[in-house]
Amino acid sequence: AWVGSRRRSAVDLDPAEIRRHLRARRLGGRIDCVEETDSTNSDVAAQGRAGAAEGLVLIADAQRRGRGR
């Protein structure tokens, strides 16, 4: 996201503010914002296997191997 002439980083985002704008009931119980990851999809899948609750959202500025590079 851009703020004025400065690009806002994912770590600057406020999970509570994002949650307020979500219409889905299952998404956003937990929102993690990171600068960089290998793949948001892989990270969320690993978190799910580790027992994370349904609805985890992961936002990244960049991913090294994911589809949305």
Side-chain angles (χ1 to χ4, degrees), residues 15-31 55 57 59:
E17 180 69 20
I18 295 168
R19 197 173 293 108
R20 278 195 291 277
H21 295 281
L22 290 176
R23 293 194 175 131
R25 294 181 189 264
R26 292 184 178 171
L27 288 178
R30 176 175 149 202
I31 300 174
V57 173
I59 301 169

Side-chain angles (χ1 to χ4, degrees), residues 29-48:
R30 176 175 149 202
I31 300 174
D32 292 347
C33 301
V34 299
E35 287 185 17
E36 189 172 316
T37 183
D38 281 335
S39 165
T40 53
N41 192 40
S42 294
D43 288 354
V44 168
Q47 290 284 335

Side-chain angles (χ1 to χ4, degrees), residues 1-9:
W2 289 87
V3 178
S5 61
R6 179 178 89 77
R7 186 177 184 284
R8 206 169 157 186
S9 172

